[in-house]
Amino acid sequence: MAVNTEALNARASVALETGQALTKGGKKIVLTAPLTEAIDHAGYFIQMAMASLPIWLEGILNRKYPKWREVERYQDGSAKYMPAGVRLVETSLERVYSKDDIVACYPEDLDKFIGPETRVVAVSTHNPLGVTFAAGVYTSIFGSSKMPINSHYARQLFAQIKNNKYRNSFKVIVGGSGGWQIIQTDMYEELGIDCVVEGRSESQDTIDLFEKAIRGEELPKEITVVHPKERDAILFPDTRTTFGVVEMTTGCGRRCKFCVPDLNPQIDLPKEKIMEAVRANVREGNKQISLATEDMFIWGQVHTDTPFYFPNREALVDLYRSVVETPGVEQHVLSHSTIAPAVVDPIMIKQLSDILLPKSPIHFPYLSSHPEKKALAPLIGLETGSVRMAKKIMPGKGVPFPIEHWPSVVLEGLKVLNENNWFPAMTLIVGNPDETDEDIRETLDLVYEMERRGLFAFLIPSIFTPLHDTRMEMEKGVTQTRELSPLQWQLMMKCWKMNLRPGQYSWWGPTAWRIGSLGMWLYKLRKLNGPNFTYPLLMFSGALSERRLEKMGKIYIGKPLKTLSRADLIKTVNPKMWKHFRADCGDLPEEEKQNSEISRSAIN
């Protein structure tokens, strides 16, 4: 990307006037990230789009967000906001090195900070090669180029670093959740990378690695650093992060076999440190906060006498109230969660809604019953509607409820969430190892049941990706869109047909989608994605009704499901666990009600 020389000179002049002129030799340690992962001003959903859409569709985002490349800098030219991972590295290094030795900057400013004295350029990236769960499949669906927008910008960043005139004087270290992509594809030389680090930067191993790089020693191509095991060992940046991300928990505890973060220790972080980081973001001009977590509902219940899957309602409500009521916080966005807690404690969902909806930047005019049509949209893993597949890849996903009742847990939980204006983005994995047509039919049964009951979630299906270091990393499922069966394609397209329902309330919506999707199919998609894609695409477009396509034998319309109510689900839980369900939510078995009354009488 071209650097705006005039603007750069102007910023340098400001720095000189304030006595903060840059050292001509450059900074010893330069931290950066792809522009697409650093920005937070263009809107919450832009990063999701950049992770999935191919680069040739970038013009759509350019028209929607014409100023997305415009970023804010401090007076010395350093980045005013950076991904939380970059800020964490910065904070960790400042325990050893002077702040004057370290800078976090945007890609277009790298040449300003890299000089003959630079010894390390560290890059954080989430999706450098475009092979995350969603990216590969959607770039394939939408075009012949399989490179997502943010992968394009990541490669552009690596090329810029590789071609820097001082490249022989410094080491390139890569971290972040996308590092495994470089390891598995052995792209070190092509991208100009010396070392990929997996793990957190608080580790002494990370400090040792940077010290070796500064001394100019040879680095290992891959290193895994130790994850902190105690909550007090986890650091919090004291400056602004992209989207105001502040860490809330690590790990999850449900032990899904395809998941990397769940391999980390289950830790909930101290409220006082979370609030310090929130205030630091506000102090630096951030008006939005997002508490980062793999499951928000474990906070306040880790390593207590109560199992983590029974949420600590009071603690959660208190934490989120403190965050959104912090002066200067105008917006709050939810991160990841699981769905079973919504069944466990519906009142908690209502109380959180009362607190969080007024600060949500998300509006769903055709879905929300909120006076301002606001909504909450956490990311929740659905993954499959097949009980057989769920038992195999995620047996703990529904705890405290048995995984045998996973469809009932999903439907009951989604009902509670929708009633409180939560419309989650729910991921599904298509093409799992050993997946059969019957597994897909069961997932379609669940999806059609959602539709019949008027429930809504943004269903995001993607092809199975064997993530590095997971218990499924050596397994192989579907790898290309052309390998998808007709039923798998139908699941993909049915999900997106349902997702687009809110956009079709206008008179022009259905016509636009029908004409657009058919036009793309005629233009290139029929060749790109193979013959199994044709009838699911016709279903998606609405050119032929689902009933007609079913009669033609081209699609499967899911059969109605007989599911358990919340009261019935509670009865399936081990009776020893009934005491952890909140009485004010109702539906307790009679035996537990009597026990509760006896306990209350004894206390009184």
Side-chain angles (χ1 to χ4, degrees), residues 376 381 403 437 476 531 577 590:
L376 300 171
I403 197 64
D437 280 352
K476 183 179 179 181
M577 293 288 146
E590 285 301 320

Side-chain angles (χ1 to χ4, degrees), residues 141-142 486 489-494 496-497 513-523 525-526 529-544 549 554-555:
I141 290 175
F142 290 117
W489 266 124
Q490 183 192 341
L491 176 59
M492 300 274 289
M493 302 314 291
K494 178 62 179 178
W496 280 103
K497 184 177 182 181
W513 283 112
R514 183 176 295 119
I515 295 173
S517 58
L518 287 176
M520 284 295 295
W521 176 72
L522 288 170
Y523 173 58
L525 300 187
R526 56 179 174 168
N529 292 319
N532 292 341
F533 181 61
T534 299
Y535 287 102
L537 188 279
L538 293 176
M539 176 200 71
F540 170 79
S541 71
L544 293 175
L549 287 167
K554 301 302 182 183
I555 67 168

Side-chain angles (χ1 to χ4, degrees), residues 138 367 424-426 428 447 451 456-461 492-504 513 540:
Y138 293 119
L367 296 172
M426 301 187 76
L428 292 94
V447 170
E451 186 176 45
F456 188 87
F458 291 93
L459 301 175
I460 307 174
M492 300 274 289
M493 302 314 291
K494 178 62 179 178
C495 288
W496 280 103
K497 184 177 182 181
M498 290 175 61
N499 291 347
L500 295 170
R501 282 180 296 169
Q504 295 191 3
W513 283 112
F540 170 79

Side-chain angles (χ1 to χ4, degrees), residues 207-225:
I207 300 298
D208 293 343
L209 181 69
F210 273 79
E211 288 180 349
K212 287 182 68 175
I214 289 170
R215 292 194 299 266
E217 298 177 13
E218 193 72 21
L219 302 183
K221 291 178 67 175
E222 173 189 354
I223 182 172
T224 299
V225 299

Side-chain angles (χ1 to χ4, degrees), residues 296-486:
M296 61 182 281
F297 295 118
I298 73 171
W299 193 87
Q301 204 67 297
V302 176
H303 305 310
T304 67
D305 293 335
T306 302
F308 70 88
Y309 37 84
F310 290 95
N312 187 331
R313 181 198 299 174
E314 288 75 17
L316 282 163
V317 169
D318 175 69
L319 173 65
Y320 278 101
R321 178 182 286 115
S322 297
V323 170
V324 299
E325 291 183 355
T326 298
V329 175
E330 298 180 5
Q331 297 180 341
H332 177 274
V333 176
L334 288 176
S335 177
H336 295 69
S337 73
T338 48
I339 199 164
V343 186
V344 172
D345 192 350
I347 289 179
M348 172 190 66
I349 300 299
K350 183 182 185 306
Q351 291 183 0
L352 288 171
S353 301
D354 293 341
I355 294 167
L356 297 175
L357 277 169
K359 292 295 179 77
S360 175
I362 301 169
H363 294 77
F364 294 150
Y366 298 110
L367 296 172
S368 176
S369 61
H370 186 268
E372 298 175 43
K373 301 302 179 183
K374 293 193 171 189
L376 300 171
L379 184 65
I380 295 177
L382 167 57
E383 316 311 1
T384 181
S386 163
V387 171
R388 185 191 77 90
M389 187 57 61
K391 286 181 178 179
K392 179 181 177 182
I393 66 173
M394 52 181 206
K397 194 75 165 179
V399 291
F401 308 105
I403 197 64
E404 287 83 358
H405 302 298
W406 177 239
S408 295
V409 173
V410 171
L411 292 167
E412 285 296 308
L414 192 54
K415 176 185 173 184
V416 171
L417 295 177
N418 283 183
E419 287 173 349
N420 291 281
N421 293 312
W422 295 44
F423 303 99
M426 301 187 76
T427 55
L428 292 94
I429 305 175
V430 180
N432 275 300
D434 192 36
E435 186 173 76
T436 66
D437 280 352
E438 185 56 33
D439 294 319
I440 295 296
R441 288 190 186 95
E442 289 186 20
T443 303
L444 281 165
D445 288 341
L446 179 56
V447 170
Y448 275 96
E449 192 67 28
M450 291 180 188
E451 186 176 45
R452 273 189 288 271
R453 298 189 185 192
L455 301 175
F456 188 87
F458 291 93
L459 301 175
I460 307 174
S462 58
I463 293 177
F464 168 75
T465 303
L467 297 180
H468 187 55
D469 283 340
T470 67
R471 283 160 285 174
M472 295 182 74
E473 70 170 314
M474 302 306 294
E475 298 192 36
K476 183 179 179 181
V478 171
T479 58
Q480 298 291 331
T481 55
R482 291 186 66 88
E483 297 174 10
L484 292 170
S485 70

Side-chain angles (χ1 to χ4, degrees), residues 205-245:
D205 296 336
T206 303
I207 300 298
D208 293 343
L209 181 69
F210 273 79
E211 288 180 349
K212 287 182 68 175
I214 289 170
R215 292 194 299 266
E217 298 177 13
E218 193 72 21
L219 302 183
K221 291 178 67 175
E222 173 189 354
I223 182 172
T224 299
V225 299
V226 177
H227 190 291
K229 294 180 173 58
E230 302 296 332
R231 60 191 338 221
D232 291 338
I234 292 180
L235 299 176
F236 286 79
D238 62 353
T239 187
R240 182 172 173 175
T241 60
T242 298
F243 290 117
V245 168

